[in-house]
Structure formats: structure tokens, C-alpha cells
């Protein structure tokens, strides 16, 4: 199974001694942030229980199979489940959600996966 991994923290995100930075993981998986290339030291950012997702539009197809009504699911380009920006808070989302929220500097996504 692949373990989501964030890149090394960019210099502009490093916290100053006087302010605490908070990461909110809006994916369904714990995120392991490795601090060295040997993968010895890591910080785990647990899944928050809230998940950022693309909004779904569910419509009946008018068909059935085995007595079960069938529905069509379409995703639009609206991301749901991401709170408004808060000072010193960064939200971790999937890559597809980050692409749609590209203008938000407080939204991050894992970029490298390590199989465990």
C-alpha cells in the first residue's frame, strides 16, 4: 500500500518560534512526512475524519438491473469539504482537489508516494 508523503517543508512555510503552524489532513489516509532521505524520521499527520472531495451530481438513469435502480454519478469542478483559510493553518487534500484550488496557498497535497 502506498503511503502519502509530503515534500520537505518549503522555507516560506517553516514556522517561526512565536507562531504554531497547524496541518489539517483532509484525505482519508494518515500522511507521513519524512525528514530525511533514509526515511528514518517522520511526522505523522493523522486523517482528520473530514475529507475534501469533488462535488457529485447523482441522477437516475431510468434503467434497472436485477430489480435495482441504476444511477449516474458525475463530478463537477467544485471542491467541497475545505474550510475557509485560517491563520497558520494548512489543509492537505488530494492532488485533484489541489489542482482545482490552485489559487489557495493554504492548500497542500502529497507529491511523492512511498510503498510500504
Amino acid at each position: 500500500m502506498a503511503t502519502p508523503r509530503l515534500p520537505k517543508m518549503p522555507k516560506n512555510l517553516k514556522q517561526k518560534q512565536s507562531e504554531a503552524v497547524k496541518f489539517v489532513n483532509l484525505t482519508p489516509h494518515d500522511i507521513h512526512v519524512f525528514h530525511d532521505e533514509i526515511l528514518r524520521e517522520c511526522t505523522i499527520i493523522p486523517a482528520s475524519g473530514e475529507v475534501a472531495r469533488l462535488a457529485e451530481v447523482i441522477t437516475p438513469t431510468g434503467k434497472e438491473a436485477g430489480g435495482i435502480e441504476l444511477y449516474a454519478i458525475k463530478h463537477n469542478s467544485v471542491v467541497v469539504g475545505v474550510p475557509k483559510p485560517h491563520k497558520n493553518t494548512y489543509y492537505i487534500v488530494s492532488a485533484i482537489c489541489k489542482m482545482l484550488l490552485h489559487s489557495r496557498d493554504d492548500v497542500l497535497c502529497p507529491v511523492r508516494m512511498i510503498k510500504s
Side-chain angles (χ1 to χ4, degrees):
M1 182 166 120
T3 301
R5 177 179 168 186
L6 293 176
K8 289 184 180 178
M9 189 179 296
K11 290 180 184 177
N12 64 337
L13 294 183
K14 287 187 178 178
Q15 63 185 355
K16 296 178 182 176
Q17 298 235 341
S18 61
E19 56 187 50
V21 173
K22 179 181 178 183
F23 292 95
V24 179
N25 180 357
L26 298 175
T27 74
H29 311 285
D30 292 345
I31 304 287
H32 295 78
V33 181
F34 290 93
H35 303 287
D36 64 6
E37 294 300 318
I38 306 172
L39 309 179
R40 288 182 300 196
E41 293 183 44
C42 85
T43 300
I44 298 174
I45 304 171
S48 67
E50 302 293 324
V51 178
R53 297 197 181 278
L54 296 179
E56 296 177 337
V57 178
I58 302 172
T59 55
T61 63
K63 299 177 183 178
E64 66 174 56
I68 299 172
E69 187 176 1
L70 302 178
Y71 291 83
I73 299 175
K74 292 184 181 180
H75 293 92
N76 56 31
S77 55
V78 175
V79 178
V80 295
V82 180
K84 292 182 180 183
H86 286 89
K87 185 177 181 177
N88 300 324
T89 301
Y90 295 91
Y91 301 100
I92 302 169
V93 299
S94 67
I96 189 79
C97 289
K98 174 57 181 167
M99 284 190 279
L100 294 169
L101 298 170
H102 59 85
S103 62
R104 286 193 50 180
D105 293 335
D106 64 327
V107 175
L108 309 172
C109 73
V111 294
R112 293 189 285 179
M113 301 290 207
I114 298 175
K115 297 209 179 214
S116 56

